Amino acid sequence: MNFSVLRITACCLLTAAVTVADETVRGFIWEQANAQAMTAAKPEEYLAAASAYNRLALDGVRNGLLFINLGNALVMGGDGANAAAAFSRAERYIGATP
C-alpha cells in the first residue's frame, strides 16, 4: 500500500517538473522570436520570427500578444493572408479596436 502512495506521489512530482520545463522552453522560444523580430531586416528574417511564434501557437499557447506578434512578423515577411488570420485570432483574445 505504501508503494502505491509513493508511485502516485512520484507521478505528480514528475508531471509538475514537466510543466515547469515546458514553461521554460516556451519562455525561451518567446524570447528567441522577439529577438528575431526586432533584428530582422529582410522578409525571410521576419518569416523566421513568425515560425518561432507559430511554434508557440502549435504548442498550445493562446494569447492576443502572441498572435499580434505573429501577424506583424508575417506582414513584414510578405505573407498577408496568414497575417490576417493571425490578427483575427488576436481579436478573439483581446478584442478589436475601432
Side-chain angles (χ1 to χ4, degrees):
M1 182 123 135
N2 287 336
F3 183 69
S4 296
V5 172
L6 182 61
R7 279 193 341 183
I8 292 170
T9 302
C11 287
C12 290
L13 290 174
L14 182 59
T15 301
V18 169
T19 301
V20 170
D22 286 347
E23 290 303 315
T24 301
V25 170
R26 288 178 181 153
F28 176 80
I29 295 170
W30 175 256
E31 293 299 325
Q32 176 188 30
N34 287 337
Q36 287 176 321
M38 287 187 293
T39 61
K42 299 176 184 175
E44 58 270 11
E45 293 169 342
Y46 284 103
L47 292 177
S51 177
Y53 288 124
N54 198 47
R55 283 177 45 202
L56 291 168
L58 292 173
D59 196 34
V61 177
R62 302 285 187 265
N63 63 62
L65 186 56
L66 169 65
F67 293 116
I68 287 173
N69 287 357
L70 175 59
N72 288 336
L74 288 168
V75 164
M76 296 303 290
D79 189 352
N82 285 320
F87 290 135
S88 177
R89 290 178 79 180
E91 287 181 354
R92 293 181 205 162
Y93 295 96
I94 58 175
T97 55

